[in-house]
Amino acid sequence: MSDDIKPAVAAEAAREGSLDAPLRHPIAWRDDDYYDLEKVHAELQRQFDVCHTCRRCFNLCDSFPRLFEAIDESATGEIDSIGKAEHDHVEEACTLCDMCFLTKCPYVPPHPFDLDIPHLILRYRAAKARHGHREFVREQLGRTDRNGKLAKPVAPIANWATARKNTPLRKLLEAIARIDAEVELPKYHSRTAGDRLRKDPMRPDPAGPAFGQRKVALYATCFVDYNQPDTAVAAARVLALQGCQVQFVYPECCGMPQLEAGNLADVAGRAERVAAHFAPLIDDGWDVVALTASCGLMMKFEWPLLLPENPLVGKLAHAAHDVSEYMVELARTYGLAQGLQPVPGGVTVHHACHARAQNMGAKSAEMLRLIPDTTVNLVERCSGHGGTFGVMKETHQVARKVGRPAARQIAAKGAETLCSDCPLACKHLGQLLSAETGADASAPPRQAHPIEIFARAYGAV
């Protein structure tokens, strides 16, 4: 786990406007008080009152405009005139992106005001779930391993049935499951990343600068394994070119969908099992590299806050790397294998919120700038997608609203390739480019994961 963002246990109060790194408290999910709805509502009122007096977060997402509008239109114009209904309205728009906590709020711990809106919203969802508020469809969508295994043998049929152009079936799906018919849903593959890499493992190149120095356990994540296996293959090929020994390791999903739903016991169980699975590899000198930003964030930061006493979870947090972060570190330590060629038309990198929340810098853009004679642009605005938030009928329009500024910035760059640390954000922004900015729908930017673009520059894909 990074030293820049760590659990706050006891810290001196920060001065106003401090540049000190934010600290986070361990998540008290095993305490009954954590799920006491009256106490949660009282804490929401306390923290929202501070937000009301500051309002620096008004342009991050839809949660804060909803809060401020509710207060401004209330009887007193103060926090005492809003209540539980407004709390629900604010909570609905939160995607747990962490940007308010990390980039805007001057009152996060160690400041005595002790604000952490994302983790307070997380507590609110957990408390509501404990008291019977469950969303069946969102929970079923979040069972990614089960869904991937069921779809794998019938992938062509599943993809046909859920294709956006299959209007009758998508309208039926919208009516039954409230999944917006306009959303481009991820595709499934009959050959997963695990199938491909176990059948054809990548051999480390003896000429690679890191040969004999690095071993990488590639945590492909549920999305990459079932929905975007090309990303895992590209990562394995690029790492092998550097001389790294690579193996595919995917015990199960990291639990980000369950975290967003407030099912913290489920997430903690996954953390324990995955950390135990990786522990022997870490002891044997293997680095753990994640291929999606959300999963890297879970391993590095969220799991240690759920299980701060678990040494295996802490060990995994220290051993985990984002794939772009890892490539930049390899380049600095050993240099890169020869053979990179320019990417025609340039690249625009969307710096996803869950990559920004890892507090490691824009590593995807930094990695792609290692490619010679290639223009690399960076956009640091929220895509608005937020997992099931961008899929469900009730919130899809809000996801579009939040993502439009990022899509407009991307369109203005005019690059031929678009990438993001988050594959769902990339897909969502690709739709917005044509639907919201007037971009030529017949020739949208090519969409890919940053490591796929790097592999293309090597001629490895």
Side-chain angles (χ1 to χ4, degrees):
M1 180 167 47
S2 168
D3 291 332
D4 295 324
I5 306 176
K6 53 191 175 183
V9 180
E12 296 180 2
R15 62 191 181 280
E16 193 79 10
S18 171
L19 296 179
D20 295 340
L23 303 174
R24 258 190 164 152
H25 302 293
I27 299 170
W29 61 279
R30 285 169 284 203
D31 296 345
D32 288 339
D33 272 1
Y34 187 81
Y35 303 95
D36 188 316
L37 273 172
E38 290 306 315
K39 291 180 179 179
V40 177
H41 282 297
E43 183 62 11
L44 284 163
Q45 288 289 92
R46 184 191 76 80
Q47 294 200 28
F48 284 172
D49 193 23
V50 179
C51 296
H52 162 50
T53 64
C54 173
R55 303 204 174 197
R56 288 182 61 180
C57 288
F58 74 95
N59 64 343
L60 282 181
C61 66
D62 212 47
S63 286
F64 294 100
R66 290 183 181 195
L67 171 63
F68 303 145
E69 183 178 1
I71 294 172
D72 292 344
E73 294 183 355
S74 69
T76 65
E78 298 293 344
I79 197 73
D80 61 358
S81 290
I82 72 165
K84 297 176 182 179
E86 290 79 14
H87 293 174
D88 283 339
H89 195 47
V90 172
E91 176 268 321
E92 179 192 53
C94 178
T95 62
L96 302 183
C97 74
D98 278 341
M99 288 302 99
C100 57
F101 178 82
L102 281 170
T103 70
K104 288 284 188 178
C105 186
Y107 304 121
V108 297
H111 194 283
F113 286 176
D114 199 26
L115 261 63
D116 187 342
I117 296 298
H119 273 198
L120 179 57
I121 295 294
L122 176 65
R123 180 185 176 188
Y124 188 30
R125 290 177 181 172
K128 290 201 296 183
R130 171 73 68 90
H131 288 82
H133 179 83
R134 310 292 290 267
E135 296 186 65
F136 177 77
V137 173
R138 288 181 187 263
E139 289 184 3
Q140 299 311 306
L141 289 174
R143 296 181 66 179
T144 53
D145 286 327
R146 180 206 62 184
N147 298 342
K149 290 172 183 175
L150 288 174
K152 177 182 173 180
V154 293
I157 298 173
N159 295 336
W160 169 80
T162 59
R164 186 166 163 242
K165 64 183 179 182
N166 193 339
T167 304
L169 285 180
R170 285 300 301 271
K171 287 294 184 183
L172 181 63
L173 185 63
E174 180 178 284
I176 295 173
R178 305 301 295 165
I179 296 172
D180 197 291
E182 292 303 310
V183 177
E184 287 281 2
L185 295 175
K187 305 301 181 186
Y188 287 98
H189 293 260
S190 298
R191 293 185 68 218
T192 64
D195 293 335
R196 294 171 66 178
L197 290 175
R198 291 188 185 105
K199 183 177 180 181
D200 185 22
M202 302 299 165
R203 309 292 182 191
D205 187 344
F211 183 74
Q213 304 295 314
R214 293 295 182 95
K215 299 187 291 186
V216 178
L218 207 59
Y219 181 59
T221 75
C222 59
F223 189 89
V224 170
D225 192 25
Y226 300 117
N227 304 111
Q228 204 162 301
D230 285 350
T231 302
V233 174
R237 287 177 177 170
V238 168
L239 289 164
L241 278 172
Q242 311 312 314
C244 298
Q245 188 176 344
V246 182
Q247 67 166 302
F248 177 90
V249 183
Y250 177 55
E252 63 180 292
C253 169
C254 71
M256 174 60 81
Q258 288 69 35
L259 184 86
E260 292 175 340
N263 191 350
L264 302 185
D266 184 294
V267 181
R270 293 168 186 267
E272 289 177 331
R273 293 189 296 273
V274 174
H277 189 96
F278 274 108
L281 289 168
I282 296 169
D283 289 341
D284 195 36
W286 291 78
D287 300 321
V288 180
V289 173
L291 293 178
T292 59
S294 297
C295 304
L297 179 68
M298 291 292 283
M299 291 192 294
K300 291 181 183 180
F301 298 110
E302 299 293 0
W303 287 358
L305 291 169
L306 287 167
L307 298 167
E309 77 290 348
N310 187 311
L312 300 185
V313 169
K315 179 186 292 188
L316 177 56
H318 282 93
H321 308 264
D322 171 83
V323 64
S324 298
E325 174 191 27
Y326 194 73
M327 285 303 304
V328 169
E329 196 269 326
L330 285 179
R332 288 176 177 171
T333 305
Y334 306 105
L336 288 175
Q338 299 297 309
L340 284 169
Q341 298 297 316
V343 177
V347 182
T348 294
V349 179
H350 167 251
H351 194 193
C353 295
H354 283 170
R356 296 177 69 188
Q358 293 180 48
N359 205 32
M360 61 185 176
K363 294 301 180 184
S364 292
E366 192 174 342
M367 176 185 72
L368 293 173
R369 287 179 179 135
L370 297 171
I371 302 172
D373 302 320
T374 299
T375 300
V376 177
N377 309 299
L378 182 66
V379 170
E380 293 188 294
R381 288 294 297 260
C382 182
S383 73
H385 192 277
T388 56
F389 183 85
V391 170
M392 305 306 295
K393 183 69 174 176
E394 290 77 12
T395 50
H396 176 60
Q397 291 305 316
V398 180
R400 291 167 66 96
K401 171 186 172 183
V402 174
R404 283 171 192 154
R408 293 188 183 113
Q409 287 187 27
I410 292 165
K413 305 296 184 184
E416 292 185 12
T417 301
L418 166 65
C419 69
S420 175
D421 313 275
C422 173
L424 287 171
C426 195
K427 184 180 291 293
H428 180 63
L429 289 168
Q431 270 195 264
L432 286 175
L433 279 171
S434 54
E436 303 293 347
T437 68
D440 184 359
S442 65
R446 181 174 180 176
Q447 298 167 34
H449 189 284
I451 197 65
E452 293 180 56
I453 299 170
F454 209 69
R456 193 184 315 152
Y458 268 121
V461 293

